[in-house]
């Protein structure tokens, strides 16, 4: 018998209990052991819940119980999850988590503690919800030199952008509707400002390089500046606008960033719409591979946590190798990177645009009178920003171009 504790009986935590119970037979077979949920840690009581007898309020009850060898941390946030996780790993208890904030901020340290105590810190659910992406990077693509990872890693923003694209609606109105339908949080800042995708690409970049890519060093831009007008031009060019989280291995170091980009139909991420997530991974032998599915939600995320529980059960007393150490990765200054841009400008600014960006290609859209679109040939981000700045209120917006 392997005893499991669940920390946090919210959406994902209750999903973990549901997955373990509903798929008990299969999960036990795959674990080659019988799993039993012994405790659920939460500040609240759950009268009438079938598991109410298992609810405890003091983490020490779990930490001090030698029977418990696997913990599912589904609390979220850094505090108190960091202290609890550290204490559990130091006692040799494995921790399986969906907590991307904690993995992104303390991942390599917690992995080291797990190694020192012959247990595991696993985090499949922290990126892409139910999509297997951590395990493919860690176990499957081990013959590859990973060259690039590009993903749509946030379902809320992808849902909003898809709605704006299909309905021609504004950002603010679309966000409001998404909140009413429960697709966006009441406080949506982490999603719409790109912070959530930033933490996720920090984790994937670290696994790509084997070193630590701190989320604090990743240039991050959200989708709040994207307008219905931008989509009019995107459509006219046969492009789409997606919030991309990108990481590339370059001779100068790792180039990691999160930003809305205009992409062409040739890009495999073009077709990823609604709340779905997808991650494209490029290896030097395999070339491109793509991982697609539900990036959030109770059962998909819980399923990923339970897959880690099964892995822990299969490796009791042994640490599964994870290619992520504490050494900081060398990051490229994005100012040095060359790329193309889409610029939307006032319709009377053609001469100034042409002077700032010689050869800018004008995008004609029938019926537009207030503004005009331009495609700017690849230019260093730093130089583009300086020139764009000089154009003042003659420019109305700019979006990066990706293939
Ligand atoms: N808020 C996140 C999203 C949930 O919208 O993708 C999963 O991390």
């Amino acid at each position: 018998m392997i005893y499991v504790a669940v920390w946090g009986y919210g959406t994902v935590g209750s999903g973990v209990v549901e997955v373990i119970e509903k798929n008990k037979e299969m999960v036990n077979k795959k674990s080659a052991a019988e799993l039993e949920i012994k405790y659920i840690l939460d500040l609240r009581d759950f009268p009438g819940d079938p598991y109410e007898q298992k609810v405890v309020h003091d983490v020490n009850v779990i930490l001090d119980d030698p029977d418990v060898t696997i913990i599912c941390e589904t609390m979220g946030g850094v505090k108190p999850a960091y202290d609890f996780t550290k204490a559990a790993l130091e006692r040799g208890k494995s921790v399986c988590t969906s907590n991307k904030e904690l993995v992104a901020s303390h991942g390599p340290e917690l992995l080291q503690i797990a190694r020192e105590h012959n247990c595991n810190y696993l985090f499949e659910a922290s990126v892409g919800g139910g999509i297997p992406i951590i395990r493919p990077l860690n176990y499957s693509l081990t013959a590859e030199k990973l060259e690039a990872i590009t993903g749509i890693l946030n379902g809320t923003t992808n849902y909003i952008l898809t709605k704006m694209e299909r309905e021609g609606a504004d950002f603010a109105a679309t966000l409001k509707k998404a909140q009413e339908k429960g697709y966006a949080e009441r406080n949506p800042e982490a999603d719409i400002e790109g912070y959530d995708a930033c933490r996720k690409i920090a984790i994937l970049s670290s696994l790509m390089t084997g070193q630590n890519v701190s989320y604090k060093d990743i240039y991050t831009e959200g989708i709040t500046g994207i307008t219905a007008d931008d989509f009019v031009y995107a459509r006219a060019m046969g492009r789409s606008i997606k919030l991309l989280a990108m990481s590339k291995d370059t001779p100068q170091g790792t180039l990691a960033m999160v930003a809305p980009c205009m992409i062409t139909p040739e890009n495999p991420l073009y077709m990823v719409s609604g709340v779905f997530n997808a991650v494209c991974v490029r290896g030097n032998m395999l070339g491109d591979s793509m991982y697609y599915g539900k990036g959030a939600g109770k059962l998909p995320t819980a399923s990923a946590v339970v897959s880690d529980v099964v892995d822990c059960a299969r490796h009791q007393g042994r640490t599964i190798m994870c290619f992520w150490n504490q050494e900081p990765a060398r990051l490229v200054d994005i100012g040095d990177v060359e790329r193309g841009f889409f610029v939307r400008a006032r319709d009377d600014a053609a001469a100034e645009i042409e002077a700032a960006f010689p050869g800018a290609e004008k995008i004609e859209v029938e019926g537009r009178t207030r503004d005009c679109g331009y495609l700017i040939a690849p230019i260093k981000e730093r130089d583009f920003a300086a020139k764009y700045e000089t154009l003042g209120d003659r420019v109305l917006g700019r979006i990066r171009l990706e293939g």
Side-chain angles (χ1 to χ4, degrees):
M1 182 77 76
I2 293 179
Y3 290 102
V4 177
V6 178
W7 286 351
Y9 201 37
T11 306
V12 180
S14 59
V16 166
V17 174
E18 191 175 330
V19 171
I20 291 180
E21 289 304 323
K22 268 202 180 143
N23 286 350
K24 201 172 193 82
E25 203 183 322
M26 194 47 75
V27 168
N28 286 347
K29 265 190 196 153
K30 288 181 179 170
S31 302
E34 216 174 299
L35 301 183
E36 167 88 23
I37 294 168
K38 188 160 184 188
Y39 302 106
I40 295 168
L41 178 73
D42 205 287
L43 292 171
R44 301 161 293 180
D45 284 310
F46 296 88
D49 186 282
Y51 299 93
E52 70 167 308
Q53 297 306 327
K54 298 188 189 254
V55 174
V56 294
H57 304 305
D58 179 2
V59 71
N60 291 308
V61 172
I62 297 166
L63 293 174
D64 293 340
D65 185 339
D67 282 353
V68 175
T69 54
I70 302 174
I71 291 162
C72 301
E73 188 269 293
T74 53
M75 306 164 70
V78 173
K79 276 187 177 178
Y82 169 69
D83 292 330
F84 289 6
T85 300
K86 206 170 156 193
L89 296 171
E90 282 168 350
R91 285 164 170 82
K93 298 180 194 299
S94 290
V95 178
C96 309
T97 187
S98 57
N99 186 340
K100 66 227 154 198
E101 290 95 344
L102 185 57
V103 178
S105 56
H106 294 281
E109 178 198 344
L110 294 169
L111 285 164
Q112 179 60 27
I113 297 173
R115 276 192 284 275
E116 286 163 7
H117 294 85
N118 302 319
C119 57
N120 285 290
Y121 184 55
L122 301 185
F123 46 92
E124 182 60 69
S126 65
V127 181
I131 309 173
I133 182 60
I134 304 297
R135 211 165 271 113
L137 292 178
N138 225 0
Y139 305 169
S140 314
L141 300 174
T142 46
E144 295 291 319
K145 181 177 182 319
L146 299 176
E147 295 178 336
I149 299 177
T150 312
I152 292 175
L153 299 179
N154 184 269
T156 305
T157 46
N158 204 46
Y159 173 84
I160 292 172
L161 291 174
T162 304
K163 280 271 177 199
M164 288 174 73
E165 179 167 49
R166 291 186 182 163
E167 295 172 9
D170 251 344
F171 171 76
T174 314
L175 171 62
K176 195 159 171 271
K177 263 197 205 159
Q179 285 172 311
E180 281 162 11
K181 290 194 169 165
Y183 289 126
E185 306 269 351
R186 260 183 300 148
N187 177 0
E189 191 189 9
D191 295 315
I192 64 178
E193 297 293 356
Y195 307 151
D196 175 81
C198 168
R199 276 150 182 83
K200 291 168 177 169
I201 196 67
I203 296 168
L204 298 184
S205 304
S206 299
L207 293 173
M208 180 175 93
T209 60
Q211 295 177 323
N212 192 37
V213 175
S214 168
Y215 72 89
K216 293 177 188 151
D217 298 330
I218 296 179
Y219 175 84
T220 299
E221 206 177 289
I223 64 163
T224 54
I226 302 296
T227 65
D229 295 322
D230 294 324
F231 275 107
V232 171
Y233 285 96
R235 194 174 304 117
M237 292 185 284
R239 291 177 178 249
S240 184
I241 303 170
K242 302 285 185 193
L243 181 67
L244 298 187
M246 299 173 271
S247 192
K248 270 186 203 140
D249 181 34
T250 79
Q252 292 75 37
T254 305
L255 165 62
M257 70 188 292
V258 174
C261 293
M262 271 194 187
I263 61 173
T264 62
E266 285 72 45
N267 189 319
L269 297 173
Y270 182 90
M271 298 305 293
V272 178
S273 43
V275 292
F276 279 84
N277 281 198
V279 190
C280 291
V281 180
R282 178 169 300 161
N284 66 338
M285 297 291 132
L286 169 69
D288 289 324
S289 56
M290 178 154 153
Y291 308 82
Y292 170 84
K294 286 191 178 157
K298 176 177 169 167
L299 293 177
T301 309
S303 170
V305 175
V306 176
S307 76
D308 281 344
V309 173
V310 172
D311 226 357
C312 287
R314 288 173 175 181
H315 296 89
Q316 291 272 71
R318 274 187 299 148
T319 305
I320 302 162
M321 191 188 152
C322 180
F323 186 58
W324 181 358
N325 68 38
Q326 301 196 47
E327 198 178 319
R330 192 156 51 101
L331 290 191
V332 172
D333 178 345
I334 74 150
D336 290 331
V337 177
E338 276 203 2
R339 66 165 73 252
F341 285 84
F342 164 76
V343 169
R344 203 162 55 78
R346 270 182 3 211
D347 75 320
D348 59 358
E352 285 94 340
I353 295 285
E354 178 59 35
F357 304 110
E361 184 189 335
K362 197 167 176 177
I363 310 300
E364 305 282 358
V365 176
E366 220 184 295
R368 299 297 293 187
T369 50
R370 287 172 291 120
D371 61 6
C372 208
Y374 296 90
L375 285 181
I376 312 298
I379 174 172
K380 271 195 180 172
E381 288 247 6
R382 185 178 300 108
D383 298 339
F384 173 83
K387 290 182 179 202
Y388 187 82
E389 176 90 26
T390 63
L391 291 164
D393 66 359
R394 286 182 288 262
V395 281
L396 304 169
R398 71 4 164 202
I399 303 175
R400 293 172 176 81
L401 300 178
E402 269 289 309

